[in-house]
Amino acid sequence: MATVLTLEDVAQYLHVHPSTVYRLLKNCSIPAFKVGSDWRFNQESIERWIKEREAERPLAAPATPPSR
């Protein structure tokens, strides 16, 4: 059975403020659904969403030591 999270659960899971989750919802950037007037999130969908964001991010160039 799928785990369903509240907005507060997702904010905690992502280590962001709940207002950030609301902003992502407003931009239709995060997978979610409504139950009445409350937002709910499928944990598997959130984990997949995170992995997709990580795949889109370019790899950082290796750090070069400072020249002397």
Side-chain angles (χ1 to χ4, degrees):
M1 179 177 272
T3 301
V4 177
L5 306 171
T6 65
L7 187 131
E8 290 78 15
D9 293 336
V10 170
Q12 222 173 8
Y13 185 75
L14 297 175
H15 303 288
V16 297
H17 195 273
S19 63
T20 301
V21 179
Y22 278 117
R23 183 176 46 80
L24 292 168
L25 287 166
K26 183 178 178 183
N27 296 333
C28 299
S29 299
I30 192 168
F33 59 96
K34 275 194 146 184
V35 175
S37 62
D38 298 325
W39 286 102
R40 295 292 185 261
F41 306 81
N42 179 301
Q43 186 173 358
E44 291 175 8
S45 296
I46 295 299
E47 290 170 357
R48 195 175 321 112
W49 176 79
I50 292 168
K51 287 180 183 175
E52 289 170 2
R53 302 286 88 65
E54 288 174 343
E56 291 173 0
R57 188 178 69 189
L59 295 175
T64 55
S67 57
R68 293 182 179 205

